PDB file of all heavy atoms in Angstrom:
ATOM      1  N   ALA K   7     101.663  82.517  85.661  1.00  0.00           N
ATOM      2  CA  ALA K   7     102.047  83.900  85.972  1.00  0.00           C
ATOM      3  C   ALA K   7     101.902  84.129  87.476  1.00  0.00           C
ATOM      4  O   ALA K   7     100.882  84.623  87.959  1.00  0.00           O
ATOM      5  CB  ALA K   7     101.186  84.877  85.174  1.00  0.00           C
ATOM      6  N   GLU K   8     102.943  83.809  88.203  1.00  0.00           N
ATOM      7  CA  GLU K   8     102.882  83.799  89.664  1.00  0.00           C
ATOM      8  C   GLU K   8     102.569  85.170  90.250  1.00  0.00           C
ATOM      9  O   GLU K   8     101.942  85.279  91.313  1.00  0.00           O
ATOM     10  CB  GLU K   8     104.207  83.275  90.214  1.00  0.00           C
ATOM     11  CG  GLU K   8     104.164  82.823  91.652  1.00  0.00           C
ATOM     12  CD  GLU K   8     105.458  82.146  92.057  1.00  0.00           C
ATOM     13  OE1 GLU K   8     105.560  80.916  91.877  1.00  0.00           O
ATOM     14  OE2 GLU K   8     106.367  82.845  92.544  1.00  0.00           O
ATOM     15  N   ALA K   9     102.987  86.221  89.584  1.00  0.00           N
ATOM     16  CA  ALA K   9     102.771  87.569  90.109  1.00  0.00           C
ATOM     17  C   ALA K   9     101.295  87.922  90.239  1.00  0.00           C
ATOM     18  O   ALA K   9     100.933  88.839  90.991  1.00  0.00           O
ATOM     19  CB  ALA K   9     103.466  88.592  89.217  1.00  0.00           C
ATOM     20  N   LEU K  10     100.432  87.215  89.517  1.00  0.00           N
ATOM     21  CA  LEU K  10      99.002  87.511  89.579  1.00  0.00           C
ATOM     22  C   LEU K  10      98.359  86.979  90.846  1.00  0.00           C
ATOM     23  O   LEU K  10      97.346  87.511  91.311  1.00  0.00           O
ATOM     24  CB  LEU K  10      98.279  86.891  88.369  1.00  0.00           C
ATOM     25  CG  LEU K  10      98.772  87.271  86.973  1.00  0.00           C
ATOM     26  CD1 LEU K  10      97.881  86.613  85.923  1.00  0.00           C
ATOM     27  CD2 LEU K  10      98.807  88.774  86.790  1.00  0.00           C
ATOM     28  N   HIS K  11      98.922  85.932  91.400  1.00  0.00           N
ATOM     29  CA  HIS K  11      98.264  85.189  92.476  1.00  0.00           C
ATOM     30  C   HIS K  11      98.814  85.593  93.839  1.00  0.00           C
ATOM     31  O   HIS K  11      99.362  84.776  94.585  1.00  0.00           O
ATOM     32  CB  HIS K  11      98.436  83.694  92.241  1.00  0.00           C
ATOM     33  CG  HIS K  11      97.955  83.251  90.898  1.00  0.00           C
ATOM     34  ND1 HIS K  11      96.617  83.042  90.610  1.00  0.00           N
ATOM     35  CD2 HIS K  11      98.624  83.015  89.738  1.00  0.00           C
ATOM     36  CE1 HIS K  11      96.496  82.677  89.344  1.00  0.00           C
ATOM     37  NE2 HIS K  11      97.690  82.654  88.793  1.00  0.00           N
ATOM     38  N   VAL K  12      98.687  86.858  94.144  1.00  0.00           N
ATOM     39  CA  VAL K  12      99.197  87.380  95.408  1.00  0.00           C
ATOM     40  C   VAL K  12      98.165  88.317  96.028  1.00  0.00           C
ATOM     41  O   VAL K  12      97.247  88.803  95.362  1.00  0.00           O
ATOM     42  CB  VAL K  12     100.521  88.149  95.214  1.00  0.00           C
ATOM     43  CG1 VAL K  12     101.629  87.220  94.770  1.00  0.00           C
ATOM     44  CG2 VAL K  12     100.354  89.302  94.225  1.00  0.00           C
ATOM     45  N   ARG K  13      98.331  88.559  97.294  1.00  0.00           N
ATOM     46  CA  ARG K  13      97.595  89.611  97.981  1.00  0.00           C
ATOM     47  C   ARG K  13      98.613  90.444  98.745  1.00  0.00           C
ATOM     48  O   ARG K  13      99.707  89.981  99.066  1.00  0.00           O
ATOM     49  CB  ARG K  13      96.544  89.035  98.938  1.00  0.00           C
ATOM     50  CG  ARG K  13      97.100  88.084  99.982  1.00  0.00           C
ATOM     51  CD  ARG K  13      96.001  87.481 100.841  1.00  0.00           C
ATOM     52  NE  ARG K  13      96.520  86.451 101.728  1.00  0.00           N
ATOM     53  CZ  ARG K  13      97.099  86.683 102.901  1.00  0.00           C
ATOM     54  NH1 ARG K  13      97.245  87.926 103.323  1.00  0.00           N
ATOM     55  NH2 ARG K  13      97.536  85.690 103.653  1.00  0.00           N
ATOM     56  N   ARG K  14      98.258  91.669  99.024  1.00  0.00           N
ATOM     57  CA  ARG K  14      99.160  92.580  99.720  1.00  0.00           C
ATOM     58  C   ARG K  14      98.861  92.585 101.210  1.00  0.00           C
ATOM     59  O   ARG K  14      97.705  92.526 101.624  1.00  0.00           O
ATOM     60  CB  ARG K  14      99.031  93.996  99.163  1.00  0.00           C
ATOM     61  CG  ARG K  14      99.318  94.105  97.676  1.00  0.00           C
ATOM     62  CD  ARG K  14     100.781  93.794  97.375  1.00  0.00           C
ATOM     63  NE  ARG K  14     101.084  94.012  95.964  1.00  0.00           N
ATOM     64  CZ  ARG K  14     101.214  93.061  95.073  1.00  0.00           C
ATOM     65  NH1 ARG K  14     101.063  91.809  95.429  1.00  0.00           N
ATOM     66  NH2 ARG K  14     101.506  93.331  93.812  1.00  0.00           N
ATOM     67  N   ASP K  15      99.903  92.678 102.000  1.00  0.00           N
ATOM     68  CA  ASP K  15      99.763  92.784 103.449  1.00  0.00           C
ATOM     69  C   ASP K  15     100.492  94.048 103.893  1.00  0.00           C
ATOM     70  O   ASP K  15     101.718  94.134 103.795  1.00  0.00           O
ATOM     71  CB  ASP K  15     100.357  91.538 104.118  1.00  0.00           C
ATOM     72  CG  ASP K  15     100.166  91.547 105.631  1.00  0.00           C
ATOM     73  OD1 ASP K  15      99.750  92.587 106.180  1.00  0.00           O
ATOM     74  OD2 ASP K  15     100.439  90.506 106.269  1.00  0.00           O
ATOM     75  N   PHE K  16      99.725  95.032 104.352  1.00  0.00           N
ATOM     76  CA  PHE K  16     100.289  96.314 104.759  1.00  0.00           C
ATOM     77  C   PHE K  16     100.336  96.458 106.281  1.00  0.00           C
ATOM     78  O   PHE K  16     100.516  97.557 106.800  1.00  0.00           O
ATOM     79  CB  PHE K  16      99.460  97.466 104.169  1.00  0.00           C
ATOM     80  CG  PHE K  16      99.398  97.462 102.672  1.00  0.00           C
ATOM     81  CD1 PHE K  16      98.276  96.993 102.007  1.00  0.00           C
ATOM     82  CD2 PHE K  16     100.469  97.923 101.921  1.00  0.00           C
ATOM     83  CE1 PHE K  16      98.213  96.990 100.621  1.00  0.00           C
ATOM     84  CE2 PHE K  16     100.416  97.926 100.534  1.00  0.00           C
ATOM     85  CZ  PHE K  16      99.294  97.456  99.883  1.00  0.00           C
ATOM     86  N   SER K  17     100.175  95.349 107.005  1.00  0.00           N
ATOM     87  CA  SER K  17     100.063  95.422 108.463  1.00  0.00           C
ATOM     88  C   SER K  17     101.405  95.604 109.164  1.00  0.00           C
ATOM     89  O   SER K  17     101.447  96.064 110.307  1.00  0.00           O
ATOM     90  CB  SER K  17      99.379  94.154 108.996  1.00  0.00           C
ATOM     91  OG  SER K  17     100.147  92.993 108.693  1.00  0.00           O
ATOM     92  N   GLY K  18     102.497  95.233 108.525  1.00  0.00           N
ATOM     93  CA  GLY K  18     103.807  95.326 109.153  1.00  0.00           C
ATOM     94  C   GLY K  18     104.514  96.633 108.861  1.00  0.00           C
ATOM     95  O   GLY K  18     103.946  97.572 108.290  1.00  0.00           O
ATOM     96  N   GLU K  19     105.785  96.703 109.261  1.00  0.00           N
ATOM     97  CA  GLU K  19     106.574  97.907 109.019  1.00  0.00           C
ATOM     98  C   GLU K  19     106.761  98.153 107.530  1.00  0.00           C
ATOM     99  O   GLU K  19     106.767  99.292 107.065  1.00  0.00           O
ATOM    100  CB  GLU K  19     107.935  97.769 109.700  1.00  0.00           C
ATOM    101  CG  GLU K  19     108.827  98.992 109.551  1.00  0.00           C
ATOM    102  CD  GLU K  19     110.160  98.840 110.261  1.00  0.00           C
ATOM    103  OE1 GLU K  19     110.373  97.788 110.913  1.00  0.00           O
ATOM    104  OE2 GLU K  19     110.993  99.756 110.153  1.00  0.00           O
ATOM    105  N   HIS K  20     106.920  97.070 106.773  1.00  0.00           N
ATOM    106  CA  HIS K  20     107.060  97.171 105.328  1.00  0.00           C
ATOM    107  C   HIS K  20     106.001  96.292 104.661  1.00  0.00           C
ATOM    108  O   HIS K  20     105.754  95.165 105.112  1.00  0.00           O
ATOM    109  CB  HIS K  20     108.459  96.720 104.892  1.00  0.00           C
ATOM    110  CG  HIS K  20     109.564  97.519 105.501  1.00  0.00           C
ATOM    111  ND1 HIS K  20     109.834  98.821 105.135  1.00  0.00           N
ATOM    112  CD2 HIS K  20     110.466  97.194 106.462  1.00  0.00           C
ATOM    113  CE1 HIS K  20     110.850  99.269 105.835  1.00  0.00           C
ATOM    114  NE2 HIS K  20     111.265  98.309 106.652  1.00  0.00           N
ATOM    115  N   PRO K  21     105.370  96.767 103.596  1.00  0.00           N
ATOM    116  CA  PRO K  21     104.373  95.944 102.909  1.00  0.00           C
ATOM    117  C   PRO K  21     105.013  94.726 102.252  1.00  0.00           C
ATOM    118  O   PRO K  21     106.165  94.783 101.813  1.00  0.00           O
ATOM    119  CB  PRO K  21     103.784  96.895 101.864  1.00  0.00           C
ATOM    120  CG  PRO K  21     104.854  97.913 101.637  1.00  0.00           C
ATOM    121  CD  PRO K  21     105.544  98.084 102.951  1.00  0.00           C
ATOM    122  N   VAL K  22     104.283  93.639 102.219  1.00  0.00           N
ATOM    123  CA  VAL K  22     104.766  92.415 101.596  1.00  0.00           C
ATOM    124  C   VAL K  22     103.664  91.855 100.711  1.00  0.00           C
ATOM    125  O   VAL K  22     102.508  92.286 100.754  1.00  0.00           O
ATOM    126  CB  VAL K  22     105.178  91.352 102.644  1.00  0.00           C
ATOM    127  CG1 VAL K  22     106.363  91.835 103.465  1.00  0.00           C
ATOM    128  CG2 VAL K  22     103.997  90.994 103.544  1.00  0.00           C
ATOM    129  N   GLN K  23     104.019  90.885  99.890  1.00  0.00           N
ATOM    130  CA  GLN K  23     103.043  90.167  99.079  1.00  0.00           C
ATOM    131  C   GLN K  23     103.100  88.699  99.432  1.00  0.00           C
ATOM    132  O   GLN K  23     104.175  88.108  99.551  1.00  0.00           O
ATOM    133  CB  GLN K  23     103.280  90.411  97.597  1.00  0.00           C
ATOM    134  CG  GLN K  23     104.704  90.294  97.119  1.00  0.00           C
ATOM    135  CD  GLN K  23     104.895  90.886  95.736  1.00  0.00           C
ATOM    136  OE1 GLN K  23     103.956  91.037  94.943  1.00  0.00           O
ATOM    137  NE2 GLN K  23     106.124  91.247  95.418  1.00  0.00           N
ATOM    138  N   ARG K  24     101.925  88.140  99.614  1.00  0.00           N
ATOM    139  CA  ARG K  24     101.807  86.743 100.014  1.00  0.00           C
ATOM    140  C   ARG K  24     101.000  85.989  98.964  1.00  0.00           C
ATOM    141  O   ARG K  24     100.179  86.580  98.257  1.00  0.00           O
ATOM    142  CB  ARG K  24     101.120  86.617 101.371  1.00  0.00           C
ATOM    143  CG  ARG K  24     101.755  87.421 102.491  1.00  0.00           C
ATOM    144  CD  ARG K  24     101.066  87.139 103.825  1.00  0.00           C
ATOM    145  NE  ARG K  24     101.489  88.053 104.867  1.00  0.00           N
ATOM    146  CZ  ARG K  24     102.622  87.941 105.547  1.00  0.00           C
ATOM    147  NH1 ARG K  24     103.440  86.944 105.280  1.00  0.00           N
ATOM    148  NH2 ARG K  24     102.931  88.822 106.492  1.00  0.00           N
ATOM    149  N   PRO K  25     101.192  84.687  98.871  1.00  0.00           N
ATOM    150  CA  PRO K  25     100.404  83.912  97.898  1.00  0.00           C
ATOM    151  C   PRO K  25      98.924  83.973  98.223  1.00  0.00           C
ATOM    152  O   PRO K  25      98.529  83.914  99.386  1.00  0.00           O
ATOM    153  CB  PRO K  25     100.960  82.491  98.047  1.00  0.00           C
ATOM    154  CG  PRO K  25     101.570  82.462  99.416  1.00  0.00           C
ATOM    155  CD  PRO K  25     102.107  83.838  99.641  1.00  0.00           C
ATOM    156  N   ASP K  26      98.129  84.135  97.207  1.00  0.00           N
ATOM    157  CA  ASP K  26      96.671  84.151  97.343  1.00  0.00           C
ATOM    158  C   ASP K  26      96.163  82.787  96.903  1.00  0.00           C
ATOM    159  O   ASP K  26      96.202  82.446  95.719  1.00  0.00           O
ATOM    160  CB  ASP K  26      96.077  85.261  96.474  1.00  0.00           C
ATOM    161  CG  ASP K  26      94.594  85.458  96.733  1.00  0.00           C
ATOM    162  OD1 ASP K  26      93.984  84.578  97.356  1.00  0.00           O
ATOM    163  OD2 ASP K  26      94.052  86.491  96.306  1.00  0.00           O
ATOM    164  N   LEU K  27      95.682  82.009  97.858  1.00  0.00           N
ATOM    165  CA  LEU K  27      95.297  80.628  97.574  1.00  0.00           C
ATOM    166  C   LEU K  27      93.807  80.461  97.307  1.00  0.00           C
ATOM    167  O   LEU K  27      93.297  79.351  97.322  1.00  0.00           O
ATOM    168  CB  LEU K  27      95.724  79.730  98.746  1.00  0.00           C
ATOM    169  CG  LEU K  27      97.219  79.784  99.090  1.00  0.00           C
ATOM    170  CD1 LEU K  27      97.525  78.847 100.246  1.00  0.00           C
ATOM    171  CD2 LEU K  27      98.055  79.412  97.877  1.00  0.00           C
ATOM    172  N   ARG K  28      93.113  81.575  97.064  1.00  0.00           N
ATOM    173  CA  ARG K  28      91.689  81.461  96.770  1.00  0.00           C
ATOM    174  C   ARG K  28      91.457  80.803  95.415  1.00  0.00           C
ATOM    175  O   ARG K  28      92.258  80.937  94.494  1.00  0.00           O
ATOM    176  CB  ARG K  28      91.042  82.843  96.783  1.00  0.00           C
ATOM    177  CG  ARG K  28      90.735  83.360  98.176  1.00  0.00           C
ATOM    178  CD  ARG K  28      90.297  84.792  98.136  1.00  0.00           C
ATOM    179  NE  ARG K  28      91.412  85.666  97.803  1.00  0.00           N
ATOM    180  CZ  ARG K  28      91.571  86.874  98.301  1.00  0.00           C
ATOM    181  NH1 ARG K  28      90.699  87.345  99.152  1.00  0.00           N
ATOM    182  NH2 ARG K  28      92.593  87.627  97.949  1.00  0.00           N
ATOM    183  N   ASP K  29      90.328  80.104  95.325  1.00  0.00           N
ATOM    184  CA  ASP K  29      89.939  79.509  94.048  1.00  0.00           C
ATOM    185  C   ASP K  29      89.645  80.616  93.037  1.00  0.00           C
ATOM    186  O   ASP K  29      89.177  81.696  93.386  1.00  0.00           O
ATOM    187  CB  ASP K  29      88.687  78.646  94.215  1.00  0.00           C
ATOM    188  CG  ASP K  29      88.936  77.420  95.072  1.00  0.00           C
ATOM    189  OD1 ASP K  29      90.064  76.900  95.041  1.00  0.00           O
ATOM    190  OD2 ASP K  29      88.010  76.998  95.784  1.00  0.00           O
ATOM    191  N   TRP K  30      89.916  80.334  91.782  1.00  0.00           N
ATOM    192  CA  TRP K  30      89.593  81.274  90.716  1.00  0.00           C
ATOM    193  C   TRP K  30      89.237  80.477  89.479  1.00  0.00           C
ATOM    194  O   TRP K  30      89.482  79.275  89.399  1.00  0.00           O
ATOM    195  CB  TRP K  30      90.767  82.223  90.430  1.00  0.00           C
ATOM    196  CG  TRP K  30      91.976  81.542  89.854  1.00  0.00           C
ATOM    197  CD1 TRP K  30      92.914  80.829  90.521  1.00  0.00           C
ATOM    198  CD2 TRP K  30      92.339  81.480  88.468  1.00  0.00           C
ATOM    199  NE1 TRP K  30      93.852  80.337  89.655  1.00  0.00           N
ATOM    200  CE2 TRP K  30      93.534  80.715  88.383  1.00  0.00           C
ATOM    201  CE3 TRP K  30      91.790  82.000  87.290  1.00  0.00           C
ATOM    202  CZ2 TRP K  30      94.176  80.468  87.174  1.00  0.00           C
ATOM    203  CZ3 TRP K  30      92.439  81.746  86.095  1.00  0.00           C
ATOM    204  CH2 TRP K  30      93.613  81.006  86.042  1.00  0.00           C
ATOM    205  N   ASP K  31      88.665  81.147  88.517  1.00  0.00           N
ATOM    206  CA  ASP K  31      88.248  80.455  87.301  1.00  0.00           C
ATOM    207  C   ASP K  31      88.297  81.410  86.120  1.00  0.00           C
ATOM    208  O   ASP K  31      88.381  82.623  86.291  1.00  0.00           O
ATOM    209  CB  ASP K  31      86.827  79.910  87.469  1.00  0.00           C
ATOM    210  CG  ASP K  31      86.592  78.638  86.670  1.00  0.00           C
ATOM    211  OD1 ASP K  31      87.360  78.386  85.720  1.00  0.00           O
ATOM    212  OD2 ASP K  31      85.652  77.899  86.991  1.00  0.00           O
ATOM    213  N   VAL K  32      88.275  80.851  84.936  1.00  0.00           N
ATOM    214  CA  VAL K  32      88.127  81.635  83.708  1.00  0.00           C
ATOM    215  C   VAL K  32      86.637  81.696  83.420  1.00  0.00           C
ATOM    216  O   VAL K  32      86.031  80.692  83.030  1.00  0.00           O
ATOM    217  CB  VAL K  32      88.887  80.991  82.529  1.00  0.00           C
ATOM    218  CG1 VAL K  32      88.699  81.836  81.272  1.00  0.00           C
ATOM    219  CG2 VAL K  32      90.358  80.812  82.867  1.00  0.00           C
ATOM    220  N   ASP K  33      86.033  82.836  83.646  1.00  0.00           N
ATOM    221  CA  ASP K  33      84.591  82.957  83.448  1.00  0.00           C
ATOM    222  C   ASP K  33      84.245  82.855  81.968  1.00  0.00           C
ATOM    223  O   ASP K  33      84.941  83.409  81.115  1.00  0.00           O
ATOM    224  CB  ASP K  33      84.092  84.298  83.986  1.00  0.00           C
ATOM    225  CG  ASP K  33      84.283  84.425  85.487  1.00  0.00           C
ATOM    226  OD1 ASP K  33      83.936  83.483  86.204  1.00  0.00           O
ATOM    227  OD2 ASP K  33      84.784  85.479  85.924  1.00  0.00           O
ATOM    228  N   VAL K  34      83.182  82.142  81.677  1.00  0.00           N
ATOM    229  CA  VAL K  34      82.627  82.089  80.331  1.00  0.00           C
ATOM    230  C   VAL K  34      81.207  82.636  80.421  1.00  0.00           C
ATOM    231  O   VAL K  34      80.363  82.083  81.127  1.00  0.00           O
ATOM    232  CB  VAL K  34      82.619  80.659  79.758  1.00  0.00           C
ATOM    233  CG1 VAL K  34      81.960  80.646  78.371  1.00  0.00           C
ATOM    234  CG2 VAL K  34      84.033  80.106  79.688  1.00  0.00           C
ATOM    235  N   VAL K  35      80.967  83.757  79.741  1.00  0.00           N
ATOM    236  CA  VAL K  35      79.689  84.451  79.828  1.00  0.00           C
ATOM    237  C   VAL K  35      79.058  84.463  78.442  1.00  0.00           C
ATOM    238  O   VAL K  35      79.600  85.042  77.498  1.00  0.00           O
ATOM    239  CB  VAL K  35      79.883  85.895  80.332  1.00  0.00           C
ATOM    240  CG1 VAL K  35      78.531  86.591  80.475  1.00  0.00           C
ATOM    241  CG2 VAL K  35      80.654  85.907  81.645  1.00  0.00           C
ATOM    242  N   ASP K  36      77.915  83.824  78.322  1.00  0.00           N
ATOM    243  CA  ASP K  36      77.223  83.735  77.033  1.00  0.00           C
ATOM    244  C   ASP K  36      76.254  84.901  76.894  1.00  0.00           C
ATOM    245  O   ASP K  36      75.225  84.961  77.574  1.00  0.00           O
ATOM    246  CB  ASP K  36      76.471  82.404  76.933  1.00  0.00           C
ATOM    247  CG  ASP K  36      75.903  82.165  75.536  1.00  0.00           C
ATOM    248  OD1 ASP K  36      75.995  83.082  74.679  1.00  0.00           O
ATOM    249  OD2 ASP K  36      75.356  81.069  75.293  1.00  0.00           O
ATOM    250  N   LEU K  37      76.580  85.824  76.018  1.00  0.00           N
ATOM    251  CA  LEU K  37      75.744  86.995  75.762  1.00  0.00           C
ATOM    252  C   LEU K  37      75.107  86.935  74.380  1.00  0.00           C
ATOM    253  O   LEU K  37      74.535  87.918  73.915  1.00  0.00           O
ATOM    254  CB  LEU K  37      76.575  88.270  75.885  1.00  0.00           C
ATOM    255  CG  LEU K  37      77.246  88.505  77.249  1.00  0.00           C
ATOM    256  CD1 LEU K  37      78.196  89.694  77.171  1.00  0.00           C
ATOM    257  CD2 LEU K  37      76.208  88.721  78.331  1.00  0.00           C
ATOM    258  N   SER K  38      75.208  85.790  73.740  1.00  0.00           N
ATOM    259  CA  SER K  38      74.759  85.676  72.353  1.00  0.00           C
ATOM    260  C   SER K  38      73.253  85.870  72.203  1.00  0.00           C
ATOM    261  O   SER K  38      72.779  86.224  71.115  1.00  0.00           O
ATOM    262  CB  SER K  38      75.163  84.323  71.765  1.00  0.00           C
ATOM    263  OG  SER K  38      74.590  83.247  72.512  1.00  0.00           O
ATOM    264  N   GLY K  39      72.498  85.658  73.266  1.00  0.00           N
ATOM    265  CA  GLY K  39      71.052  85.811  73.183  1.00  0.00           C
ATOM    266  C   GLY K  39      70.577  87.228  73.432  1.00  0.00           C
ATOM    267  O   GLY K  39      69.377  87.515  73.293  1.00  0.00           O
ATOM    268  N   ASP K  40      71.493  88.123  73.772  1.00  0.00           N
ATOM    269  CA  ASP K  40      71.114  89.510  74.033  1.00  0.00           C
ATOM    270  C   ASP K  40      70.792  90.228  72.727  1.00  0.00           C
ATOM    271  O   ASP K  40      71.345  89.908  71.667  1.00  0.00           O
ATOM    272  CB  ASP K  40      72.249  90.220  74.759  1.00  0.00           C
ATOM    273  CG  ASP K  40      71.804  91.510  75.413  1.00  0.00           C
ATOM    274  OD1 ASP K  40      71.811  92.563  74.725  1.00  0.00           O
ATOM    275  OD2 ASP K  40      71.429  91.466  76.601  1.00  0.00           O
ATOM    276  N   ASP K  41      69.910  91.225  72.794  1.00  0.00           N
ATOM    277  CA  ASP K  41      69.563  91.990  71.593  1.00  0.00           C
ATOM    278  C   ASP K  41      70.782  92.687  70.997  1.00  0.00           C
ATOM    279  O   ASP K  41      70.890  92.829  69.782  1.00  0.00           O
ATOM    280  CB  ASP K  41      68.475  93.024  71.917  1.00  0.00           C
ATOM    281  CG  ASP K  41      67.134  92.383  72.227  1.00  0.00           C
ATOM    282  OD1 ASP K  41      66.943  91.207  71.825  1.00  0.00           O
ATOM    283  OD2 ASP K  41      66.296  93.038  72.882  1.00  0.00           O
ATOM    284  N   ASP K  42      71.696  93.134  71.863  1.00  0.00           N
ATOM    285  CA  ASP K  42      72.921  93.799  71.419  1.00  0.00           C
ATOM    286  C   ASP K  42      74.080  93.220  72.226  1.00  0.00           C
ATOM    287  O   ASP K  42      74.472  93.775  73.253  1.00  0.00           O
ATOM    288  CB  ASP K  42      72.821  95.313  71.624  1.00  0.00           C
ATOM    289  CG  ASP K  42      73.993  96.068  70.988  1.00  0.00           C
ATOM    290  OD1 ASP K  42      75.028  95.426  70.693  1.00  0.00           O
ATOM    291  OD2 ASP K  42      73.874  97.296  70.795  1.00  0.00           O
ATOM    292  N   PRO K  43      74.626  92.080  71.771  1.00  0.00           N
ATOM    293  CA  PRO K  43      75.667  91.409  72.552  1.00  0.00           C
ATOM    294  C   PRO K  43      76.904  92.261  72.817  1.00  0.00           C
ATOM    295  O   PRO K  43      77.497  92.173  73.891  1.00  0.00           O
ATOM    296  CB  PRO K  43      76.013  90.191  71.682  1.00  0.00           C
ATOM    297  CG  PRO K  43      74.803  89.948  70.858  1.00  0.00           C
ATOM    298  CD  PRO K  43      74.262  91.316  70.577  1.00  0.00           C
ATOM    299  N   VAL K  44      77.285  93.083  71.846  1.00  0.00           N
ATOM    300  CA  VAL K  44      78.481  93.921  72.031  1.00  0.00           C
ATOM    301  C   VAL K  44      78.247  94.931  73.150  1.00  0.00           C
ATOM    302  O   VAL K  44      79.097  95.125  74.033  1.00  0.00           O
ATOM    303  CB  VAL K  44      78.865  94.628  70.716  1.00  0.00           C
ATOM    304  CG1 VAL K  44      79.976  95.643  70.962  1.00  0.00           C
ATOM    305  CG2 VAL K  44      79.295  93.603  69.678  1.00  0.00           C
ATOM    306  N   ALA K  45      77.096  95.595  73.133  1.00  0.00           N
ATOM    307  CA  ALA K  45      76.777  96.557  74.187  1.00  0.00           C
ATOM    308  C   ALA K  45      76.687  95.859  75.537  1.00  0.00           C
ATOM    309  O   ALA K  45      77.148  96.389  76.561  1.00  0.00           O
ATOM    310  CB  ALA K  45      75.468  97.274  73.865  1.00  0.00           C
ATOM    311  N   ALA K  46      76.099  94.663  75.543  1.00  0.00           N
ATOM    312  CA  ALA K  46      75.993  93.907  76.787  1.00  0.00           C
ATOM    313  C   ALA K  46      77.375  93.535  77.320  1.00  0.00           C
ATOM    314  O   ALA K  46      77.623  93.564  78.531  1.00  0.00           O
ATOM    315  CB  ALA K  46      75.157  92.651  76.559  1.00  0.00           C
TER     316      ALA K  46
END
């Protein structure tokens, strides 16, 4: 989904979108040990 991997540049006469080359990941967060995992 290429549209997700952009940043906006408003410095020029017209705003543009440029590729965002920062690293990213799918976070996996284990909340199973919490007293109330849903609330957590």
Side-chain angles (χ1 to χ4, degrees):
E8 197 172 271
L10 304 183
H11 305 281
V12 294
R13 57 184 173 83
R14 302 294 185 257
D15 183 350
F16 300 102
S17 62
E19 182 179 358
H20 301 288
V22 296
Q23 46 194 338
R24 306 185 190 280
D26 189 345
L27 304 181
R28 280 171 289 215
D29 293 328
W30 66 281
D31 211 340
V32 180
D33 296 313
V34 177
V35 182
D36 188 354
L37 301 172
S38 60
D40 197 273
D41 291 340
D42 188 342
V44 172

